[in-house]
Amino acid sequence: MHWNPGYAAVAVTGAANLPHRMDPLEQLKRDVPHRIDSATTIAELDEIEAETVGRRSPIAEARRGLGAIADPAQRGVTGKAINDVAVFLSAQIDVRRGALESVEVNARLQADRADVTLPGRVPRRGTHHIIQQTIDEIVDIFVGLGYQMVQGPEAETDFYNFTALNIPKTHPTRLESDTLYLDYGDGDEEVLLRTHTSPMQARHMEEHEPPVYIVVPGKVFRSDAIDATHLPVFHQIEGLAVDDNITFADLKGTLAEFTRQFFGPDTKVKFIPHYFPFTEPSAEMHAYTQGKWIELIGCGMVNPAVFENVGYDPNTLSGFAFGMGADRMAMVRHGITDLRTMIDPDVRTLEQYR
Ligand code: DAH
């Protein structure tokens, strides 16, 4: 829109009648566009609008003064001039309002925005306990050698824990000082917390035909006070191989291979005679690792008496069995010297063995 400069000569208000004062409409036209442009909020713009073109504005006042102009032609020119200023300013105000509205909407949208680029809170990473890790690793090695993993009950009967394994009634491990009895059942059916994983040998052979190649990981319980080398709850991994023609050479080869896979290919092993009621002959396998010989695995050829107890024919079958402590294997592997580390719930301890 083009401003008609002709209006400036027209006196519409008292002030404008003073020759040294600028016409208020002219003043509006000169000053207000700048204020409109620099308004930063809609509220501010509303104020400018009220002040300049609203009901109490100089424009409204000028319109009210129109009636006092007697000459209709002059009144028409002046009215048009006032209107032109009003339209001119209103148009600018509308443009600015549109711009400020979109700025405010954007600001609100911005404030409401969920910033999906924020990194999430990373939960503390959990891990398997060192004993479980060790059990998994040991079982994996035997699975690689063709064994199957099975598990048995932790509450066991006297029969499977002792009698089936050829452990005589008079054996000291049956004493309450060694075994935790559950005060339930009598004789062979007396229930106790298994003192080793060996009972699963008998349970498995009773239920399955040979050949048998199993490993049995699990918790075992003994009536021991806690110290650096004893816990009343610990973990064992039992092994049993029964087939047509198993010899002590198979036992040695299998356990030597396991030890090399677990501790490293150069690990030496030796077998020292020992006694277990359920194996004959029996041995202890020691491994040379970390600069010393360490007793690791109890083992031996399955005692024919055990085969008889489970209904296997000792004349046609032979086999070997072995048992090792999972906690002990974990300690040797990680250089841990105090067994109580295994039950330390401090996350700083646990985090060292991921
Ligand atoms: N059951 C024995 C123990 O708890 C460990 C063991 C020794 C298991 C020799 C066996 C074995 O199968 O042949 O001390």
Side-chain angles (χ1 to χ4, degrees), residues 132 134-136 138-140 142-143 147-154 156 165 194-205 208 212-220 234-241 320-326:
Q132 188 62 51
T134 306
I135 288 173
D136 288 347
I138 293 171
V139 167
D140 274 356
F142 281 102
V143 167
Y147 285 67
Q148 189 196 345
M149 187 197 80
V150 297
Q151 282 173 293
E154 290 170 359
E156 189 51 282
L165 296 171
R194 67 179 176 192
T195 59
H196 50 178
T197 44
S198 306
M200 202 46 196
Q201 289 188 28
R203 282 186 176 274
H204 190 85
M205 286 189 284
H208 298 83
V212 168
Y213 292 91
I214 57 166
V215 279
V216 190
K219 282 187 168 53
V220 299
F234 55 106
H235 302 78
Q236 287 186 337
I237 298 165
E238 189 79 13
L240 176 68
F320 63 81
F322 57 89
M324 66 184 98

Side-chain angles (χ1 to χ4, degrees), residues 63-303:
R63 277 190 181 123
R64 280 193 292 276
L66 279 175
I69 301 174
D71 176 7
Q74 183 62 45
R75 194 161 63 228
V77 170
T78 307
K80 183 174 183 317
I82 296 167
N83 218 37
D84 284 349
V85 178
V87 169
F88 170 75
L89 293 178
S90 293
Q92 291 204 9
I93 287 168
D94 284 350
V95 169
R96 185 67 188 152
R97 176 172 283 114
L100 287 179
E101 266 167 9
S102 64
V103 166
E104 287 189 9
V105 166
N106 282 342
R108 242 178 292 135
L109 287 176
Q110 190 67 29
D112 284 353
R113 205 173 112 205
D115 184 354
V116 295
T117 66
L118 257 182
R121 286 186 200 91
V122 181
R124 247 187 146 118
R125 187 165 62 94
T127 185
H128 281 146
H129 189 272
I130 180 176
I131 296 172
Q132 188 62 51
Q133 292 175 31
T134 306
I135 288 173
D136 288 347
E137 209 179 312
I138 293 171
V139 167
D140 274 356
I141 292 172
F142 281 102
V143 167
L145 295 173
Y147 285 67
Q148 189 196 345
M149 187 197 80
V150 297
Q151 282 173 293
E154 290 170 359
E156 189 51 282
T157 61
D158 175 282
F159 176 77
Y160 288 110
N161 198 78
F162 297 127
T163 310
L165 296 171
N166 199 39
I167 300 172
K169 290 278 180 222
T170 54
H171 198 280
T173 70
R174 289 189 179 233
L175 294 177
E176 266 187 60
S177 55
D178 276 321
T179 299
L180 293 155
Y181 289 89
L182 290 183
D183 199 14
Y184 182 83
D186 290 311
D188 272 355
E189 296 303 309
E190 182 162 15
V191 180
L192 46 85
L193 293 179
R194 67 179 176 192
T195 59
H196 50 178
T197 44
S198 306
M200 202 46 196
Q201 289 188 28
R203 282 186 176 274
H204 190 85
M205 286 189 284
E206 267 188 358
E207 296 286 323
H208 298 83
E209 291 302 312
V212 168
Y213 292 91
I214 57 166
V215 279
V216 190
K219 282 187 168 53
V220 299
F221 309 83
R222 290 187 196 173
S223 180
D224 280 326
I226 296 178
D227 63 26
T229 53
H230 295 87
L231 291 178
V233 183
F234 55 106
H235 302 78
Q236 287 186 337
I237 298 165
E238 189 79 13
L240 176 68
V242 181
D243 213 329
D244 286 341
N245 212 355
I246 301 259
T247 68
F248 202 92
D250 296 315
L251 162 60
K252 289 175 76 174
T254 302
L255 294 185
E257 173 58 22
F258 159 74
T259 308
R260 286 192 290 261
Q261 285 194 38
F262 190 76
F263 286 112
D266 299 327
T267 314
K268 285 198 207 62
V269 297
K270 67 181 178 187
F271 291 81
I272 293 175
H274 201 78
Y275 171 77
F276 297 104
F278 34 90
T279 45
E280 180 59 35
S282 302
E284 254 179 15
M285 194 204 79
H286 295 227
Y288 192 79
T289 178
Q290 295 156 20
K292 54 184 183 294
W293 285 102
I294 299 177
E295 183 234 307
L296 277 187
I297 308 179
C299 56
M301 302 306 290
V302 178
N303 192 318

